[in-house]
Amino acid sequence: MMMASTTVESAFLKIPSFGFVNPNNATSKLVSRSSVSLRFGFHFRSCATSSASAAEPASASSPSSVVNDGAKLGPGSLGHITRPDFPILHQAVNGSKLVYLDNAATSQKPTAVLEAIQNYYESYNSNVHRGIHYLSARATDEFELARQKVANFINASESREIVFTRNATEAINLVAYSWGLTNLRPEDEIVLTIAEHHSNIVPWQLVAQKTGANLKFLELTEDEVPDVGKLKEMLSKKTKLVAVHHVSNMLASVLPIEEIASWAHDVGAKVLVDACQSVPHMVVDVKKLGLDFLVASSHKMCGPTGIGLLYGKSELLNAMPPFLGGGEMIADVFLDHSTYAEPPSRFEAGTPAIAEAIGLGATIDYLSGIGMERIHDYEVELANYLYNSLRSVPNIRIYGPEPSRVFKRAALCSFNVEDVHPTDVATFLDQQHGVAVRSGHHCAQPLHRYLGINASARASLHFYNTKEDVDDFIRALTDTISFFTSFK
Amino acid sequence: MQSLTQNLSFLSPLFSQVSESPEPKKIQLKSSFFKNPIFFTSHKSVHSPDKPISTGVFPKNSIFFTSPKCYHNPDKPISRNPRNSSVSCITAHEIPLQPLTVPEKVHCLACEFKSLPEPIDRVKRLLHYATLLPPFDESGRVEENRVKGCTTMVWLQVEMDGNRLMRYKVDSDSEITKGFCSCLIWLFDGAIPEEVLSVKTDDLAEMNVGMPSKGHSRVNTWHNILISIQKKTKNFVEVKDKDRSLTEFPPLVGSTDGFSVYGNYKEAQYMQESRQAGNEVEGPT
């Protein structure tokens, strides 16, 4: 299930692939923190609920690097090097150092991105695609440059295959209403999994109601991953769309998208992938995966909120009717009818989120400067460390597969503590220890219902997290459990 | 009349010392909450000798750890607006006499939580109040009683008693949320509907443990439960008002003997509609 090691670099900025700090500087500097003392202040105890098989560390070969390979999680790790780029991480919350472990909800933004947005507003803020004056021309150039960067980042054929939306949710709704209402007929089938985010369920419910199509949901195996073996059996000539996540925001499991896309195409179905939890963390190549549609959110990949992306194959986008009507998406407007622009403009009605798009472009520069392969390799190590550390805490139930050579986990763990509500856990972690985790259903209520729970807590990491963050989290969680146990 | 100790039981978390002796002990209250520390006697031991007290963990089953109670001095003018309330938190020189209204209780509760120095202290205080919540019947944990929009499960039962006072039962699967619920029950149980409906979520912002946001949010439990309480209270009021209007304003029927009251409004409507439809209906024309 590992992604192929295709490197996608920005064509517009060539920089060393390690120790990168700020791609917008004329000279890129290698910044490394002074050695960080490793803390081993807590004691691992066997977990009463741990499963029998021992997890093997997931290892992925990583490109050699002058400074940081070897002790991947030790001093000088990617997390230590990049942390100075994220000003928000250096603060205290409720009297404790902030430990931010809610990256699956939204990621933090590096200074480079913040500066790009500020620079836009300070230097050339102007509406795009409209004016002929200098500011407008520059804004338009930067906006379209950002679109090209996104296209390169996911290896799309051309920038016109990238539609900027407000977020991934809007992107899925765009496909549902524009492609779906045109192409779905009664008795047609849309295949999803029960582990989908609500944004990849509800739009299809709405469109299925209008068209008479049916939704089919793939369930989980005993390892708590979507049963890919059964997925192939679910596909038939009736299947018109397979809409699945790449990485589960709750289970941390990774689907074999390339295989799934191949099966779907064999029966004539299209494939839409929710890549919100994969694009920020690994190389995603839409051509290699054979995707028809892909959606992602900027704010989960160190970019600004308010902008997301839809990738769609040219021939599909060209055939799709508009989603929203207004300015920009038209060619000519008459009183009784209008003609429409070509994609992507056809799907970008109104003034777009210009600053945000430019910020997303800067984000891609930053991530490309580090290298998505390097980010992925580091996060695999961190994911295993998080899982093994959490598993050693008594009375913890972690959801999703155990990491192994077969199952790779993303760097997140959803879990529950026996007899303590996850919201109570998260509140105490925040109030007493400054540790930020998520509690609730993570926009995956069907999955929670399937697992027989109402809610769970979730710790999710990104490349700027460190081993010490995990240690602090485990220490805080142990104290939290001890508090509630003694309270009862 | 309640003893001074019982009257001041809401101050129990502020005790700096506790006593195990069955003999009455003098206990000094130490807190910036008071102008001067006051002394009073306890009538029972305040914690079980078998259960050591850890920092911030309060023992159960103590006469002092009852629901928070506040009283106002009748000599002080009272404002219905909790923000403008002149009810000050009780001082050593004031002897409380009368129960507070809902706005005054809100003010009192806000004072209590505001006085806690650290956010974690507010969490601990809520956990303490969670232990005071009355048991909730399992049969009440049904979908129609669920408070929507919360990340935790909350069940709410609302009734109006014969004196037109609101009665509430609430429960949650989260201890902190239970603490919120306990505070809300103390605020509203036994209150008149108008007082319940007058409280705004902003008024409870001081108690919002860890949640600086005052607005609508899945994790803003105060907001969600308060809205639910008020919605259900309003429904009760509307139903009761409708029933009352039917009985208070029955139709007048004119006859050769004069005017008299007959039936109720709904009956009169039915009779009129039926006659217009050409059906024979009993009753005065």
Side-chain angles (χ1 to χ4, degrees), chain A residues 358-373:
Chain A
I358 293 169
L360 176 56
T363 301
I364 289 172
D365 290 339
Y366 181 83
L367 295 176
S368 299
I370 300 172
M372 294 311 296
E373 276 191 50

mmCIF file with all atom_site columns, all heavy atoms in Angstrom, chain A residues 358-373:
data_model
loop_
_atom_site.group_PDB
_atom_site.id
_atom_site.type_symbol
_atom_site.label_atom_id
_atom_site.label_alt_id
_atom_site.label_comp_id
_atom_site.label_asym_id
_atom_site.label_entity_id
_atom_site.label_seq_id
_atom_site.pdbx_PDB_ins_code
_atom_site.Cartn_x
_atom_site.Cartn_y
_atom_site.Cartn_z
_atom_site.occupancy
_atom_site.B_iso_or_equiv
_atom_site.pdbx_formal_charge
_atom_site.auth_seq_id
_atom_site.auth_comp_id
_atom_site.auth_asym_id
_atom_site.auth_atom_id
_atom_site.pdbx_PDB_model_num
ATOM 1   N N   . ILE A 1 358 ? -2.722 32.062 -3.780 1.00 0.00 ? 358 ILE A N   1
ATOM 2   C CA  . ILE A 1 358 ? -1.298 32.407 -3.792 1.00 0.00 ? 358 ILE A CA  1
ATOM 3   C C   . ILE A 1 358 ? -0.602 31.802 -2.588 1.00 0.00 ? 358 ILE A C   1
ATOM 4   O O   . ILE A 1 358 ? 0.527  31.300 -2.676 1.00 0.00 ? 358 ILE A O   1
ATOM 5   C CB  . ILE A 1 358 ? -1.128 33.943 -3.852 1.00 0.00 ? 358 ILE A CB  1
ATOM 6   C CG1 . ILE A 1 358 ? -1.625 34.451 -5.215 1.00 0.00 ? 358 ILE A CG1 1
ATOM 7   C CG2 . ILE A 1 358 ? 0.308  34.362 -3.588 1.00 0.00 ? 358 ILE A CG2 1
ATOM 8   C CD1 . ILE A 1 358 ? -1.754 35.947 -5.329 1.00 0.00 ? 358 ILE A CD1 1
ATOM 9   N N   . GLY A 1 359 ? -1.289 31.818 -1.442 1.00 0.00 ? 359 GLY A N   1
ATOM 10  C CA  . GLY A 1 359 ? -0.750 31.164 -0.252 1.00 0.00 ? 359 GLY A CA  1
ATOM 11  C C   . GLY A 1 359 ? -0.567 29.678 -0.469 1.00 0.00 ? 359 GLY A C   1
ATOM 12  O O   . GLY A 1 359 ? 0.413  29.088 -0.025 1.00 0.00 ? 359 GLY A O   1
ATOM 13  N N   . LEU A 1 360 ? -1.503 29.057 -1.168 1.00 0.00 ? 360 LEU A N   1
ATOM 14  C CA  . LEU A 1 360 ? -1.381 27.625 -1.473 1.00 0.00 ? 360 LEU A CA  1
ATOM 15  C C   . LEU A 1 360 ? -0.175 27.374 -2.367 1.00 0.00 ? 360 LEU A C   1
ATOM 16  O O   . LEU A 1 360 ? 0.545  26.392 -2.208 1.00 0.00 ? 360 LEU A O   1
ATOM 17  C CB  . LEU A 1 360 ? -2.660 27.125 -2.136 1.00 0.00 ? 360 LEU A CB  1
ATOM 18  C CG  . LEU A 1 360 ? -2.675 25.662 -2.600 1.00 0.00 ? 360 LEU A CG  1
ATOM 19  C CD1 . LEU A 1 360 ? -2.351 24.705 -1.460 1.00 0.00 ? 360 LEU A CD1 1
ATOM 20  C CD2 . LEU A 1 360 ? -4.031 25.301 -3.206 1.00 0.00 ? 360 LEU A CD2 1
ATOM 21  N N   . GLY A 1 361 ? 0.036  28.278 -3.309 1.00 0.00 ? 361 GLY A N   1
ATOM 22  C CA  . GLY A 1 361 ? 1.226  28.153 -4.152 1.00 0.00 ? 361 GLY A CA  1
ATOM 23  C C   . GLY A 1 361 ? 2.506  28.196 -3.322 1.00 0.00 ? 361 GLY A C   1
ATOM 24  O O   . GLY A 1 361 ? 3.429  27.409 -3.536 1.00 0.00 ? 361 GLY A O   1
ATOM 25  N N   . ALA A 1 362 ? 2.546  29.124 -2.376 1.00 0.00 ? 362 ALA A N   1
ATOM 26  C CA  . ALA A 1 362 ? 3.715  29.223 -1.496 1.00 0.00 ? 362 ALA A CA  1
ATOM 27  C C   . ALA A 1 362 ? 3.864  27.972 -0.646 1.00 0.00 ? 362 ALA A C   1
ATOM 28  O O   . ALA A 1 362 ? 4.974  27.519 -0.351 1.00 0.00 ? 362 ALA A O   1
ATOM 29  C CB  . ALA A 1 362 ? 3.601  30.459 -0.599 1.00 0.00 ? 362 ALA A CB  1
ATOM 30  N N   . THR A 1 363 ? 2.748  27.408 -0.244 1.00 0.00 ? 363 THR A N   1
ATOM 31  C CA  . THR A 1 363 ? 2.764  26.160 0.532  1.00 0.00 ? 363 THR A CA  1
ATOM 32  C C   . THR A 1 363 ? 3.422  25.052 -0.264 1.00 0.00 ? 363 THR A C   1
ATOM 33  O O   . THR A 1 363 ? 4.262  24.307 0.249  1.00 0.00 ? 363 THR A O   1
ATOM 34  C CB  . THR A 1 363 ? 1.327  25.740 0.884  1.00 0.00 ? 363 THR A CB  1
ATOM 35  O OG1 . THR A 1 363 ? 0.702  26.777 1.635  1.00 0.00 ? 363 THR A OG1 1
ATOM 36  C CG2 . THR A 1 363 ? 1.308  24.447 1.661  1.00 0.00 ? 363 THR A CG2 1
ATOM 37  N N   . ILE A 1 364 ? 3.034  24.951 -1.529 1.00 0.00 ? 364 ILE A N   1
ATOM 38  C CA  . ILE A 1 364 ? 3.590  23.896 -2.372 1.00 0.00 ? 364 ILE A CA  1
ATOM 39  C C   . ILE A 1 364 ? 5.081  24.102 -2.578 1.00 0.00 ? 364 ILE A C   1
ATOM 40  O O   . ILE A 1 364 ? 5.865  23.141 -2.584 1.00 0.00 ? 364 ILE A O   1
ATOM 41  C CB  . ILE A 1 364 ? 2.815  23.836 -3.698 1.00 0.00 ? 364 ILE A CB  1
ATOM 42  C CG1 . ILE A 1 364 ? 1.418  23.258 -3.413 1.00 0.00 ? 364 ILE A CG1 1
ATOM 43  C CG2 . ILE A 1 364 ? 3.545  23.012 -4.746 1.00 0.00 ? 364 ILE A CG2 1
ATOM 44  C CD1 . ILE A 1 364 ? 0.463  23.300 -4.561 1.00 0.00 ? 364 ILE A CD1 1
ATOM 45  N N   . ASP A 1 365 ? 5.471  25.339 -2.701 1.00 0.00 ? 365 ASP A N   1
ATOM 46  C CA  . ASP A 1 365 ? 6.912  25.619 -2.788 1.00 0.00 ? 365 ASP A CA  1
ATOM 47  C C   . ASP A 1 365 ? 7.621  25.104 -1.544 1.00 0.00 ? 365 ASP A C   1
ATOM 48  O O   . ASP A 1 365 ? 8.685  24.480 -1.622 1.00 0.00 ? 365 ASP A O   1
ATOM 49  C CB  . ASP A 1 365 ? 7.157  27.126 -2.911 1.00 0.00 ? 365 ASP A CB  1
ATOM 50  C CG  . ASP A 1 365 ? 6.714  27.678 -4.258 1.00 0.00 ? 365 ASP A CG  1
ATOM 51  O OD1 . ASP A 1 365 ? 6.600  26.886 -5.217 1.00 0.00 ? 365 ASP A OD1 1
ATOM 52  O OD2 . ASP A 1 365 ? 6.477  28.903 -4.342 1.00 0.00 ? 365 ASP A OD2 1
ATOM 53  N N   . TYR A 1 366 ? 7.041  25.398 -0.400 1.00 0.00 ? 366 TYR A N   1
ATOM 54  C CA  . TYR A 1 366 ? 7.650  25.008 0.871  1.00 0.00 ? 366 TYR A CA  1
ATOM 55  C C   . TYR A 1 366 ? 7.743  23.495 0.997  1.00 0.00 ? 366 TYR A C   1
ATOM 56  O O   . TYR A 1 366 ? 8.791  22.946 1.341  1.00 0.00 ? 366 TYR A O   1
ATOM 57  C CB  . TYR A 1 366 ? 6.838  25.608 2.030  1.00 0.00 ? 366 TYR A CB  1
ATOM 58  C CG  . TYR A 1 366 ? 7.392  25.281 3.390  1.00 0.00 ? 366 TYR A CG  1
ATOM 59  C CD1 . TYR A 1 366 ? 8.439  26.012 3.951  1.00 0.00 ? 366 TYR A CD1 1
ATOM 60  C CD2 . TYR A 1 366 ? 6.880  24.215 4.130  1.00 0.00 ? 366 TYR A CD2 1
ATOM 61  C CE1 . TYR A 1 366 ? 8.958  25.708 5.191  1.00 0.00 ? 366 TYR A CE1 1
ATOM 62  C CE2 . TYR A 1 366 ? 7.397  23.898 5.380  1.00 0.00 ? 366 TYR A CE2 1
ATOM 63  C CZ  . TYR A 1 366 ? 8.430  24.652 5.901  1.00 0.00 ? 366 TYR A CZ  1
ATOM 64  O OH  . TYR A 1 366 ? 8.947  24.337 7.140  1.00 0.00 ? 366 TYR A OH  1
ATOM 65  N N   . LEU A 1 367 ? 6.634  22.825 0.728  1.00 0.00 ? 367 LEU A N   1
ATOM 66  C CA  . LEU A 1 367 ? 6.613  21.365 0.858  1.00 0.00 ? 367 LEU A CA  1
ATOM 67  C C   . LEU A 1 367 ? 7.552  20.715 -0.156 1.00 0.00 ? 367 LEU A C   1
ATOM 68  O O   . LEU A 1 367 ? 8.256  19.747 0.157  1.00 0.00 ? 367 LEU A O   1
ATOM 69  C CB  . LEU A 1 367 ? 5.194  20.834 0.659  1.00 0.00 ? 367 LEU A CB  1
ATOM 70  C CG  . LEU A 1 367 ? 4.166  21.244 1.716  1.00 0.00 ? 367 LEU A CG  1
ATOM 71  C CD1 . LEU A 1 367 ? 2.776  20.723 1.336  1.00 0.00 ? 367 LEU A CD1 1
ATOM 72  C CD2 . LEU A 1 367 ? 4.554  20.722 3.093  1.00 0.00 ? 367 LEU A CD2 1
ATOM 73  N N   . SER A 1 368 ? 7.553  21.250 -1.361 1.00 0.00 ? 368 SER A N   1
ATOM 74  C CA  . SER A 1 368 ? 8.428  20.696 -2.401 1.00 0.00 ? 368 SER A CA  1
ATOM 75  C C   . SER A 1 368 ? 9.882  20.878 -2.025 1.00 0.00 ? 368 SER A C   1
ATOM 76  O O   . SER A 1 368 ? 10.735 20.072 -2.365 1.00 0.00 ? 368 SER A O   1
ATOM 77  C CB  . SER A 1 368 ? 8.134  21.355 -3.747 1.00 0.00 ? 368 SER A CB  1
ATOM 78  O OG  . SER A 1 368 ? 6.799  21.118 -4.130 1.00 0.00 ? 368 SER A OG  1
ATOM 79  N N   . GLY A 1 369 ? 10.142 21.982 -1.328 1.00 0.00 ? 369 GLY A N   1
ATOM 80  C CA  . GLY A 1 369 ? 11.505 22.226 -0.894 1.00 0.00 ? 369 GLY A CA  1
ATOM 81  C C   . GLY A 1 369 ? 11.995 21.160 0.081  1.00 0.00 ? 369 GLY A C   1
ATOM 82  O O   . GLY A 1 369 ? 13.159 20.795 0.084  1.00 0.00 ? 369 GLY A O   1
ATOM 83  N N   . ILE A 1 370 ? 11.103 20.699 0.913  1.00 0.00 ? 370 ILE A N   1
ATOM 84  C CA  . ILE A 1 370 ? 11.472 19.609 1.833  1.00 0.00 ? 370 ILE A CA  1
ATOM 85  C C   . ILE A 1 370 ? 11.508 18.299 1.066  1.00 0.00 ? 370 ILE A C   1
ATOM 86  O O   . ILE A 1 370 ? 12.414 17.484 1.241  1.00 0.00 ? 370 ILE A O   1
ATOM 87  C CB  . ILE A 1 370 ? 10.464 19.509 2.983  1.00 0.00 ? 370 ILE A CB  1
ATOM 88  C CG1 . ILE A 1 370 ? 10.432 20.815 3.788  1.00 0.00 ? 370 ILE A CG1 1
ATOM 89  C CG2 . ILE A 1 370 ? 10.811 18.344 3.884  1.00 0.00 ? 370 ILE A CG2 1
ATOM 90  C CD1 . ILE A 1 370 ? 9.331  20.864 4.826  1.00 0.00 ? 370 ILE A CD1 1
ATOM 91  N N   . GLY A 1 371 ? 10.506 18.103 0.243  1.00 0.00 ? 371 GLY A N   1
ATOM 92  C CA  . GLY A 1 371 ? 10.388 16.834 -0.478 1.00 0.00 ? 371 GLY A CA  1
ATOM 93  C C   . GLY A 1 371 ? 9.316  15.968 0.158  1.00 0.00 ? 371 GLY A C   1
ATOM 94  O O   . GLY A 1 371 ? 9.417  15.639 1.347  1.00 0.00 ? 371 GLY A O   1
ATOM 95  N N   . MET A 1 372 ? 8.320  15.604 -0.623 1.00 0.00 ? 372 MET A N   1
ATOM 96  C CA  . MET A 1 372 ? 7.207  14.840 -0.056 1.00 0.00 ? 372 MET A CA  1
ATOM 97  C C   . MET A 1 372 ? 7.639  13.438 0.357  1.00 0.00 ? 372 MET A C   1
ATOM 98  O O   . MET A 1 372 ? 7.098  12.868 1.304  1.00 0.00 ? 372 MET A O   1
ATOM 99  C CB  . MET A 1 372 ? 6.044  14.764 -1.052 1.00 0.00 ? 372 MET A CB  1
ATOM 100 C CG  . MET A 1 372 ? 5.371  16.105 -1.338 1.00 0.00 ? 372 MET A CG  1
ATOM 101 S SD  . MET A 1 372 ? 4.956  17.044 0.142  1.00 0.00 ? 372 MET A SD  1
ATOM 102 C CE  . MET A 1 372 ? 3.762  15.968 0.920  1.00 0.00 ? 372 MET A CE  1
ATOM 103 N N   . GLU A 1 373 ? 8.616  12.901 -0.335 1.00 0.00 ? 373 GLU A N   1
ATOM 104 C CA  . GLU A 1 373 ? 9.101  11.577 0.069  1.00 0.00 ? 373 GLU A CA  1
ATOM 105 C C   . GLU A 1 373 ? 9.723  11.648 1.443  1.00 0.00 ? 373 GLU A C   1
ATOM 106 O O   . GLU A 1 373 ? 9.533  10.758 2.289  1.00 0.00 ? 373 GLU A O   1
ATOM 107 C CB  . GLU A 1 373 ? 10.151 11.077 -0.929 1.00 0.00 ? 373 GLU A CB  1
ATOM 108 C CG  . GLU A 1 373 ? 9.569  10.400 -2.142 1.00 0.00 ? 373 GLU A CG  1
ATOM 109 C CD  . GLU A 1 373 ? 10.659 9.712  -2.940 1.00 0.00 ? 373 GLU A CD  1
ATOM 110 O OE1 . GLU A 1 373 ? 11.442 8.967  -2.344 1.00 0.00 ? 373 GLU A OE1 1
ATOM 111 O OE2 . GLU A 1 373 ? 10.708 9.958  -4.160 1.00 0.00 ? 373 GLU A OE2 1
#
